[in-house]
Amino acid sequence: MKLNIMKKMAMLLILLSMGMIMAGCKSESSDDRNVDTALLYLANTPAAPDDNQTICLTAYTLANSCVTGTVQLFNPGRGCAQATLSALPAANGTITEQMTALRECVRKAVNDPIQPCNLPQFSSATAGQVVSGYIKAKCDAADVTIAPATTATKVNLTGLLIY
């Protein structure tokens, strides 16, 4: 029990530190909002996040960096909840494989060399626009392969991002 509390406190301190660093670097409030959504998730979750939830939180934080509006953000409270992750189809690979693939395809959208979606001139006002505009192109079923090469499955990961 004490270990879970210590893990949770450590995660909160890391996210709070990241938020303070980001706030000092930019005048934009979008980075603060991204850290806030992750902090809200951690504050409302009774147990420390497991490995899959940590990967999921990273994917959602990256995805939220592409949203400039305040009305519709990606919701890590729903998308990274243990009940949501447990309900993922096993035919698409393990939860860890699916979350890792999601994080990597969102990272591709954020780190795009031509139009990185986290820059203000390329970002979108809502999470839905980010999915249809940037993330769908990187996370489309034709591009994403999950699981070992012997049983690889093509999966569309955009449905894993809940807003």
Side-chain angles (χ1 to χ4, degrees):
M1 182 69 179
K2 283 186 180 183
L3 183 62
N4 281 341
I5 292 171
M6 294 303 289
K7 278 183 168 178
K8 195 169 186 178
M9 291 301 293
M11 188 66 127
L12 282 171
L13 286 173
I14 290 169
L15 286 172
L16 188 58
S17 298
M18 285 175 41
M20 290 178 8
I21 290 169
M22 288 178 175
C25 294
K26 277 183 143 181
S27 61
E28 287 282 323
S29 63
S30 65
D31 288 333
D32 298 333
R33 188 178 62 243
N34 295 336
V35 172
D36 289 347
T37 57
L39 285 173
L40 277 172
Y41 169 80
L42 290 172
N44 290 322
T45 304
D50 62 16
D51 292 338
N52 295 328
Q53 289 172 312
T54 303
I55 296 169
C56 183
L57 284 171
T58 304
Y60 271 72
T61 301
L62 286 170
N64 273 333
S65 72
C66 299
V67 181
T68 57
T70 57
V71 177
Q72 186 187 64
L73 294 169
F74 294 101
N75 186 350
R78 285 184 48 221
C80 297
Q82 192 61 46
T84 304
L85 296 180
S86 298
L88 292 176
N92 294 343
T94 67
I95 295 170
T96 304
E97 291 169 340
Q98 291 181 61
M99 287 298 104
T100 302
L102 175 66
R103 179 188 64 199
E104 294 309 312
C105 72
V106 171
R107 185 175 286 156
K108 284 180 194 174
V110 172
N111 293 331
D112 187 284
I114 298 168
Q115 291 186 340
C117 68
N118 63 338
L119 292 180
Q121 64 267 34
F122 302 121
S123 58
S124 301
T126 66
Q129 292 170 342
V130 171
V131 168
S132 63
Y134 289 99
I135 295 176
K136 185 173 183 170
K138 304 296 180 188
C139 302
D140 193 15
D143 298 330
V144 179
T145 304
I146 297 179
T150 55
T151 59
T153 343
K154 301 282 187 182
V155 179
N156 186 349
L157 297 170
T158 56
L160 299 177
L161 289 169
I162 298 172
Y163 45 91

